[in-house]
Amino acid sequence: FCMLANHEIPTNVVYEDDKIFCFYDAEPQAPVHVLLVPKKHITGLDDVKEEDQALLGYMMFKIHEIAAQLGLENG
């Protein structure tokens, strides 16, 4: 995901800012399937630090906005 967020691999971007990167899944499992990742490298949830709380909260907040932008409901 880091290479996608750093634009080293081309992808279809849905949303991007200085903290997060959202893009369409290359192998979608639903009619609309996007992935949202932090730009900060976090290997997995086991590696989340206390300092990452604000970033993860920000991601949860932005999901609603991105879903609305895509015309999604209840998802």
Side-chain angles (χ1 to χ4, degrees):
F1 294 131
C2 290
M3 292 177 74
L4 291 166
N6 290 329
H7 300 279
E8 296 171 24
I9 298 174
T11 189
N12 192 354
V13 179
V14 174
Y15 176 84
E16 179 177 15
D17 63 26
D18 62 325
K19 296 175 186 164
I20 60 174
F21 186 72
C22 183
F23 56 97
Y24 284 99
D25 192 328
E27 297 182 27
Q29 302 299 307
V32 178
H33 189 175
V34 298
L35 301 169
L36 177 66
V37 297
K39 287 191 172 180
K40 176 184 179 186
H41 181 77
I42 300 174
T43 305
L45 290 176
D46 288 340
D47 296 320
V48 171
K49 308 280 189 261
E50 186 172 346
E51 65 198 42
D52 298 322
Q53 287 184 57
L55 173 59
L56 296 176
Y58 179 77
M59 290 176 69
M60 296 302 295
F61 177 77
K62 293 302 278 189
I63 288 170
H64 173 77
E65 181 182 307
I66 294 166
Q69 172 188 324
L70 294 171
L72 302 175
E73 298 175 353
N74 300 319

